Amino acid sequence: AQSVAQPEDQVNVAEGNPLTVKCTYSVSGNPYLFWYVQYPNRGLQFLLKYITGDNLVKGSYGFEAEFNKSQTSFHLKKPSALVSDSALYFCAVRDIRDDKIIFGKGTRLHILP
Amino acid sequence: DADVTQTPRNRITKTGKRIMLECSQTKGHDRMYWYRQDPGLGLRLIYYSFDVKDINKGEISDGYSVSRQAQAKFSLSLESAIPNQTALYFCATSDPGLGNTGELFFGEGSRLTVL
């Protein structure tokens, strides 16, 4: 069965600094990988996805993610953090065999002014 | 108007009561999902449906049932609610057709408290 691990419950970054939110996955076959963001009292919003092709994918709000097949990782990155990036971030993997979409436990990102 | 609508948004009930959470969507997607969110546990898949006649169990289906009344409607029921079903519940849709890779579109959530 597929699984997703987000090893950090919380990440603190100073505004203007680069940020990384980590994600590793386990899935049979080729992975479909996603990042979502959740703001307080809201549903999740799609940020970006990796399906195939270039290992660096770009998404909404200046976020990007790097797919690394050998390390089975899909880390979320942003070159310069904004206070408004503070939110809960979820990594997810879709198993194309049964189309289940499984989420990690989430990482709370705090951007400090 | 929201593309994925959940009702009710908030509900407080007592142990043993039957509860139904409803989800409707205007996106025309075939696939619908129910997740629950708990602090520190992330989102866990309860049930998912590929069309009206195709319903599948997720990671934590015990104590829950679902009904896909139409392409646009997917309801989650708790036949006899218990306190550890207190959580935030999300409905989501996806359309993994040609050119679409199956990202999910979420409703705003239904917060359920079981006393």
Side-chain angles (χ1 to χ4, degrees), chain A residues 19-37:
Chain A
L19 69 87
T20 298
V21 183
K22 296 179 180 178
C23 172
T24 59
Y25 67 90
S26 174
V27 65
S28 298
N30 293 324
Y32 283 23
L33 297 160
F34 305 85
W35 275 101
Y36 290 83
V37 59

Side-chain angles (χ1 to χ4, degrees), chain A residues 3-111:
Chain A
S3 65
V4 178
Q6 293 183 243
E8 303 152 319
D9 292 334
Q10 182 168 310
V11 171
N12 297 321
V13 177
E15 186 177 25
N17 283 2
L19 69 87
T20 298
V21 183
K22 296 179 180 178
C23 172
T24 59
Y25 67 90
S26 174
V27 65
S28 298
N30 293 324
Y32 283 23
L33 297 160
F34 305 85
W35 275 101
Y36 290 83
V37 59
Q38 184 182 30
Y39 298 103
N41 301 313
R42 302 297 301 276
L44 279 71
Q45 299 175 31
F46 169 76
L47 271 181
L48 52 77
K49 64 189 177 191
Y50 171 83
I51 305 303
T52 186
D54 195 347
N55 289 344
L56 184 65
V57 295
K58 296 187 183 296
S60 305
Y61 312 120
F63 283 94
E64 56 191 27
E66 186 171 12
F67 171 68
N68 187 316
K69 187 173 183 178
S70 63
Q71 296 184 3
T72 62
S73 67
F74 188 56
H75 299 332
L76 182 69
K77 300 181 178 184
K78 188 173 183 180
S80 179
L82 301 173
V83 172
S84 58
D85 292 331
S86 297
L88 188 56
Y89 290 81
F90 290 96
C91 183
V93 61
R94 176 183 168 211
D95 188 333
I96 61 173
R97 296 175 307 165
D98 59 13
D99 252 348
K100 283 184 182 177
I101 302 174
I102 302 299
F103 285 78
K105 295 183 178 181
T107 299
R108 189 164 298 280
L109 179 63
H110 286 285
I111 307 302

Side-chain angles (χ1 to χ4, degrees), chain B residues 2-97:
Chain B
D3 294 322
V4 183
T5 302
Q6 293 183 231
T7 56
R9 293 292 312 280
N10 287 283
R11 181 72 183 270
I12 300 173
T13 191
K14 294 182 179 180
T15 297
K17 295 291 186 181
R18 183 178 187 274
I19 294 296
M20 178 180 286
L21 305 179
E22 298 184 334
C23 178
S24 63
Q25 53 114 346
T26 58
K27 299 189 74 67
H29 289 169
D30 288 327
R31 301 186 175 192
M32 299 186 74
Y33 304 77
W34 275 105
Y35 289 88
R36 65 176 278 177
Q37 182 179 16
D38 299 277
L41 296 178
L43 271 75
R44 292 180 291 169
L45 181 62
I46 306 173
Y47 272 96
Y48 59 115
S49 170
F50 290 168
D51 64 35
V52 175
K53 297 180 180 179
D54 186 356
I55 292 177
N56 306 278
K57 292 184 176 180
E59 303 168 275
I60 54 161
S61 58
D62 288 348
Y64 301 95
S65 62
V66 291
S67 173
R68 185 80 183 267
Q69 302 95 323
Q71 186 207 37
K73 297 183 182 295
F74 192 36
S75 300
L76 176 71
S77 293
L78 289 67
E79 296 300 326
S80 179
I82 56 177
N84 76 0
Q85 291 177 314
T86 293
L88 183 57
Y89 290 84
F90 284 104
C91 176
T93 72
S94 76
D95 181 15

